[in-house]
Amino acid sequence: MSVDVKTVKRVARLARIAVSEEDAERMTGELNAILGFVDQLNEVDVSGVEPMTSVTPMEMKKRQDVVTDGNKAADIVANAPATEENFFLVPKVVE
Amino acid sequence: MNDLTQLTISQARAKLCAKEITATEITEAYLSAIERANPALNAYVAVTDDKAREMAKASDAKLAKGEGGSLEGIPLGIKDLFGTEGIHTQACSHVLDGFKPRFESTVTTNLWADGAVMLGKLNMDEFAMGSSNETSYYGPVVNPWRRSRLDTVVMPTTHQGDGGFVSAGGTRTAQTLDNAQLVPGGSSGGSASAVSAFLCAGATATDTGGSIRQPAAFTGTVGIKPTYGRCSRWGIVAFASSLDQAGPIARDVRDAAILLKSMASVDPKDTTSVDWPVPDYEAAIGKPIKGMKVGIPREYRVDGMPEEIEALWQKGIAWLKDAGAEIVDISLPHTKYALPAYYIVAPAEASSNLARYDGVRYGLRVPGKDIVDMYENTRAAGFGREVKRRIMIGTYVLSAGYYDAYYLQAQKVRNLIKRDFENVFAAGIDVILTPATPSAAFGIADEDMAADPVKMYLNDIFTVTVNMAGLPGIAVPAGLDAKGLPLGLQLIGRPFDEETLFQTAHVIEQAAGSFQPEKWW
């Protein structure tokens, strides 16, 4: 399978990465080289094979559904580019 | 010994315990070595001198009372992927500009608890995506190793009297170092370069497709990627969560064993970490390998592999045979599909993990006309080309209509790759021997690799299978190529059998000797 510039722009939109016309054209070539490389997986007979869900056989660990951490609002916003009173500030999303 | 940076961890540990040297002295030795070398090698992106001195002082107090931990006073470098509280942690990406976490990764917490001293944060490929350390926002790391050039020197004709030495003139060859700068491999290029150039006693690293073992092979150092689940991933910047594992890069096999013992632990904060006791890996070193079954997978003999790599592999086989191991030809039939399957699974997981860099919670923010525009501008400016490429591939293979064809198919193939290994281990193979990389270190800004991303990806052809199957793998230096560059062999073990890897790698190390770059920096 291969992608065209239009698909690359759509994927960039899904990935939330702004791309210029020039970027999109360059990426189309690069992505097609990679997709061409991975195409060989289609020759593998996978009938009856389950997709991997865990690389080592382990049981999912469970714990009591209780609060074990928290009350760190100042730590959580400490690295944010814009904050006010322990809230993240973002451009207006609701008119 | 005058230069304390030349000591291995085990040697330094003995001298510190015997009070022949102090943690402060060895830390100062490393800090001055870094100051001199880093402008040339670019291995460190942040040097934490004050913190290092403070930690060394605390270690000296403990050592004086005879209370030192297993790494008391040992100066280490930390890959920039590990969260270190209040200290530069950016995965060498622009998108994490200024990020100083309010937490400490479990692996580094373990190291500090055992008394290690932090020298600083090490350069790496951006978000650990790369095989040459050229994708770092902080610029490429330089390999301390350089190619030697054979120059022809004309010899003068001399006569030294009766029966004395007579030179008939003619020519001889002299070795000189070529000036071309080489990559240290990646993504843990800063870790490998710093260990090889004596800028830290050992380093932390991480490996998603070969990022510990390939740079170790390129720099003549030892690197082990333990079994998935052996080290906690908590507090390490995530790339591909089902493949990522932390491990050490060290000067020799014993040092790697000492470091892994400290780094590994079960951790309630990482549910994939394993609740099994961490063995004393050092105790495995020196145990005989007589009767051990060593598998040689025929599929690792790839087209276009340099003869030197094949010769190195044969040497490794001969060393293990001489030590009493039984050599068995084996087949891992799905080997060739590991790299293509990886380039679906890893980007898919990365596209999801890297969704968090949105200009809201940390790092860079580039304004836009609305919130979506802000996200898009931030990510466009913050991520480098390789990272964008992988996010795009991952987003595409997970998008509606393509999920089954790509992602599901790759996860099925991944099970087949794992099954190949399970079959040979079930047949009695104890350890598998392969080359670590298909070539020696290549030049910075290699044109072929820059033109075709797949060419760069092929660096991981021998290492990526191990991540896909969650197994432990170690790269150990085994010789030099004709140009004087180090080459490594890889040993692959059963899940959680790192002990056999240390035991066998030590046999190779004893036979091959150790390798140090000629100092030019």
Side-chain angles (χ1 to χ4, degrees):
Chain A
M1 273 182 266
S2 64
V3 291
D4 54 18
V5 177
K6 200 175 141 223
T7 308
V8 167
K9 286 184 183 166
R10 184 178 62 84
V11 173
R13 184 77 183 165
L14 288 172
R16 296 281 183 260
I17 296 174
V19 289
S20 65
E21 198 65 38
E22 194 191 325
D23 291 338
E25 274 171 30
R26 194 195 65 244
M27 281 180 178
T28 305
E30 291 169 354
L31 298 198
N32 281 330
I34 298 166
L35 293 171
F37 175 66
V38 303
D39 257 354
Q40 55 182 302
L41 290 178
N42 292 326
E43 59 191 64
V44 185
D45 179 7
V46 293
S47 44
V49 180
E50 287 293 310
M52 181 180 280
T53 48
S54 171
V55 69
T56 42
M58 52 173 68
E59 212 171 300
M60 176 66 98
K61 291 176 203 167
K62 299 176 191 74
R63 64 168 176 84
Q64 290 300 312
D65 185 14
V66 291
V67 177
T68 57
D69 201 359
N71 294 321
K72 290 182 183 168
D75 282 347
I76 287 163
V77 300
N79 278 286
T83 60
E84 201 176 293
E85 292 172 7
N86 286 344
F87 286 96
F88 296 112
L89 284 188
V90 295
K92 199 170 184 180
V93 284
V94 182
E95 288 302 327
Chain B
M1 185 174 285
N2 296 325
D3 187 357
L4 298 179
T5 66
Q6 299 286 314
L7 298 171
T8 61
I9 292 175
S10 62
Q11 289 166 343
R13 182 181 62 181
K15 285 183 187 291
L16 285 162
C17 288
K19 302 192 176 65
E20 289 172 37
I21 60 171
T22 65
T24 300
E25 284 165 359
I26 191 166
T27 299
E28 291 296 342
Y30 277 112
L31 290 174
S32 14
I34 296 166
E35 200 181 351
R36 280 194 304 272
N38 211 48
L41 299 176
N42 200 28
Y44 282 84
V45 292
V47 180
T48 53
D49 10 13
D50 291 345
K51 173 109 182 151
R53 291 190 174 105
E54 187 188 303
M55 290 173 97
K57 204 174 152 193
S59 285
D60 280 329
K62 282 195 176 170
L63 286 160
K65 286 189 272 180
E67 288 171 2
S70 62
L71 287 168
E72 201 66 60
I74 302 292
L76 302 179
I78 303 299
K79 188 178 182 179
D80 200 34
L81 206 64
F82 291 79
T84 43
E85 195 172 355
I87 290 162
H88 187 288
T89 300
Q90 290 183 208
C92 285
S93 177
H94 186 34
V95 86
L96 269 169
D97 259 7
F99 183 61
K100 290 193 167 74
R102 294 292 181 104
F103 56 83
E104 185 78 27
S105 81
T106 299
V107 164
T108 48
T109 301
N110 292 343
L111 291 168
W112 314 143
D114 284 336
V117 169
M118 172 159 58
L119 292 167
K121 299 302 285 288
L122 293 163
N123 205 339
M124 54 179 283
D125 278 301
E126 183 182 6
F127 285 108
M129 298 179 190
S131 303
S132 65
N133 213 121
E134 295 173 291
T135 73
S136 167
Y137 179 66
Y138 296 92
V141 174
V142 176
N143 193 329
W145 287 85
R146 286 180 165 183
R147 292 186 192 107
S148 328
R149 200 177 51 221
L150 291 176
D151 288 326
T152 303
V153 181
V154 180
M155 303 291 289
T157 308
T158 52
H159 297 276
Q160 288 193 337
D162 298 334
F165 173 75
V166 178
S167 164
T171 60
R172 71 175 178 92
T173 52
Q175 279 206 329
T176 49
L177 286 185
D178 189 281
N179 285 334
Q181 293 191 329
L182 304 180
V183 303
S187 69
S188 311
S191 305
S193 177
V195 171
S196 174
F198 301 93
L199 305 185
C200 57
T204 65
T206 59
D207 190 316
T208 304
S211 284
I212 290 176
R213 292 158 288 156
Q214 184 252 16
F218 276 14
T219 56
T221 55
V222 176
I224 181 165
K225 180 204 92 73
T227 314
Y228 185 80
R230 185 66 287 184
C231 291
S232 168
R233 291 178 295 108
W234 194 85
I236 302 173
V237 176
F239 162 13
S241 304
S242 79
L243 301 156
D244 297 343
Q245 258 297 289
I249 291 182
R251 304 239 186 90
D252 64 14
V253 174
R254 183 175 298 275
D255 283 6
I258 295 170
L259 287 172
L260 183 60
K261 165 91 176 145
S262 175
M263 292 167 75
S265 67
V266 64
D267 179 7
K269 288 185 284 194
D270 174 5
T271 54
T272 65
S273 70
V274 165
D275 195 3
W276 285 356
V278 181
D280 179 8
Y281 295 124
E282 235 189 311
I285 293 171
K287 281 192 185 162
I289 61 158
K290 196 168 162 43
M292 191 181 279
K293 281 194 175 168
V294 179
I296 309 299
R298 68 176 68 101
E299 291 80 6
Y300 282 61
R301 197 159 278 120
V302 295
D303 287 344
M305 186 164 88
E307 262 177 49
E308 284 180 302
I309 303 280
E310 173 67 31
L312 182 87
W313 199 7
Q314 292 305 323
K315 254 197 322 197
I317 292 170
W319 290 329
L320 297 182
K321 210 173 178 176
D322 287 347
E326 185 189 335
I327 306 298
V328 186
D329 284 322
I330 59 166
S331 174
L332 298 165
H334 296 91
T335 297
K336 72 175 272 211
Y337 301 111
L339 200 60
Y342 175 86
Y343 275 97
I344 290 173
V345 174
E349 294 184 16
S351 72
S352 165
N353 273 327
L354 272 60
R356 72 191 69 183
Y357 305 105
D358 57 5
V360 174
R361 285 160 291 175
Y362 21 62
L364 186 73
R365 172 183 286 193
V366 178
K369 61 182 187 316
D370 54 30
I371 192 165
V372 172
D373 208 39
M374 186 272 283
Y375 294 150
E376 292 192 345
N377 292 343
T378 299
R379 292 163 64 81
F383 294 134
R385 273 193 187 187
E386 181 61 30
V387 173
K388 283 182 196 166
R389 208 150 39 216
R390 298 203 197 183
I391 292 174
M392 293 283 287
I393 286 285
T395 306
Y396 177 69
V397 300
L398 291 178
S399 64
Y402 297 102
Y403 179 87
D404 286 5
Y406 286 112
Y407 189 71
L408 218 56
Q409 177 78 5
Q411 289 290 40
K412 287 177 181 174
V413 172
R414 193 174 171 191
N415 249 342
L416 290 172
I417 293 162
K418 187 170 172 242
R419 204 179 285 173
D420 284 352
F421 283 105
E422 285 167 354
N423 290 341
V424 299
F425 290 133
I429 296 297
D430 296 298
V431 69
I432 297 166
L433 178 74
T434 77
T437 56
S439 76
F442 47 88
I444 287 179
D446 184 285
E447 282 177 14
D448 280 359
M449 303 230 191
D452 179 0
V454 175
K455 277 221 169 82
M456 183 67 87
Y457 299 169
L458 288 171
N459 268 288
D460 292 336
I461 192 162
F462 298 140
T463 48
V464 76
T465 50
V466 176
N467 303 74
M468 293 304 271
L471 301 172
I474 191 168
V476 58
L480 301 178
D481 72 1
K483 289 177 175 144
L485 295 181
L487 296 171
L489 288 170
Q490 173 179 240
L491 292 158
I492 305 168
R494 297 165 184 264
F496 300 103
D497 189 12
E498 284 81 6
E499 286 166 289
T500 297
L501 296 189
F502 287 121
Q503 182 187 355
T504 316
H506 183 67
V507 172
I508 293 176
E509 183 177 60
Q510 292 292 104
S514 67
F515 306 93
Q516 286 186 12
E518 196 176 307
K519 195 171 171 184
W520 54 264
W521 58 90

